[in-house]
Amino acid sequence: EHSNVIAGRTTYARAIVPEMRAGPLVMRDVAVNVVPLGWKEVGHVRVAGLLGFDFLAQLGVTIDYENRRVTVVPSGAYTAPADPHTIVLDARIGRGIPLVTASLDGAVAERIGIDTGGVGAFLLFDYFTRRNPPPLPNVDSLAFGADPNFAGVGGGFAASPAFVSRFQLGGFTFHDVTGYRVLSEQSFSQDSDGVIGEGLLRNFTLGLDYANERIYLTPNADGRKALGL
């Protein structure tokens, strides 16, 4: 067993799964982490776990939010999208999480993760907000009610809504974006600025080319409308 800090400190155990299947893919003798997941059921779906970096790094992955489809090929067979609106992000793989650079109202977040399971458009850690005073303004609490509470691998944490007039990622600029700022102290490790979550990523078809440390963003219909393309 060992411990780590991800939405709070939690204890991991290691195990070997003799056989694991994901669609037509078959893996044998897979080393896994066993963690006390804190998530609730989403609709009728119970979250059983996460496919992490060791799995994704062997593949070229395309996540098509518009058509709700994930396709994979061996990493050597992956080809960049041909859509002229596609942009490529250089990703630094930090502890298995792809880190990119984004700008929030001119404040540069150089280590913000791409998290397809992240809640909202973005989630900012105190590693970022401490270096960028004053903190990003809260959205009017009357519109959202009390500050929300979320749950991650390590348990629950509190967050406050935050509003950004201009969220820039690569060559794309989103206007009037609402995300969250983590309030709970020491809920996340102190080496990343935050994560970009599903609320923003769903505007794209997402290409993950971890072997070459690249992420491709191709605006889908919702994304082209939001970006004015």
Side-chain angles (χ1 to χ4, degrees):
E1 292 187 347
H2 61 283
S3 66
N4 202 348
V5 178
I6 305 177
R9 182 167 294 278
T10 189
T11 299
Y12 288 70
R14 297 284 284 175
I16 300 293
V17 176
E19 183 177 282
M20 182 182 297
R21 295 176 180 267
L25 301 179
V26 180
M27 298 160 281
R28 293 183 174 85
D29 297 328
V30 183
V32 300
N33 285 320
V34 180
V35 299
L37 285 175
W39 296 304
K40 298 179 181 179
E41 292 188 5
V42 180
H44 299 291
V45 177
R46 184 166 67 94
V47 178
L50 303 172
L51 293 173
F53 174 75
D54 289 346
F55 173 80
L56 297 172
Q58 302 177 65
L59 304 166
V61 182
T62 301
I63 302 174
D64 183 349
Y65 285 94
E66 188 170 33
N67 295 298
R68 300 189 178 190
R69 181 181 299 118
V70 177
T71 56
V72 301
V73 296
S75 60
Y78 182 81
T79 57
D83 190 299
H85 291 121
T86 297
I87 65 168
V88 57
L89 302 177
D90 293 325
R92 291 87 68 195
I93 307 299
R95 291 186 302 168
I97 300 172
L99 301 175
V100 299
T101 298
S103 174
L104 295 80
D105 285 342
V108 177
E110 295 181 337
R111 298 173 59 83
I112 192 163
I114 298 294
D115 185 358
T116 57
V119 64
F122 61 84
L123 187 66
L124 296 176
F125 306 155
D126 59 359
Y127 181 74
F128 175 82
T129 56
R130 284 200 317 267
R131 302 194 320 275
N132 294 278
L136 296 175
N138 289 337
V139 177
D140 186 353
S141 60
L142 294 176
F144 284 83
D147 290 338
N149 290 294
F150 299 120
V153 173
F157 61 92
S160 176
F163 177 80
V164 174
S165 297
R166 289 170 57 87
F167 191 107
Q168 295 173 289
L169 180 63
F172 296 133
T173 300
F174 289 90
H175 296 277
D176 301 334
V177 180
T178 301
Y180 298 96
R181 181 174 62 252
V182 174
L183 300 178
S184 301
E185 295 183 0
Q186 299 181 338
S187 294
F188 293 87
S189 57
Q190 302 301 304
D191 60 356
S192 61
D193 295 311
V195 295
I196 298 170
E198 183 269 343
L200 192 144
L201 296 176
R202 67 187 178 194
N203 291 289
F204 302 99
T205 295
L206 191 65
L208 305 179
D209 183 8
Y210 283 6
N212 295 298
E213 297 190 332
R214 291 177 178 174
I215 293 176
Y216 295 92
L217 301 177
T218 304
N220 55 29
D222 288 341
R224 291 192 296 272
K225 181 178 179 180
L227 294 165
L229 299 177

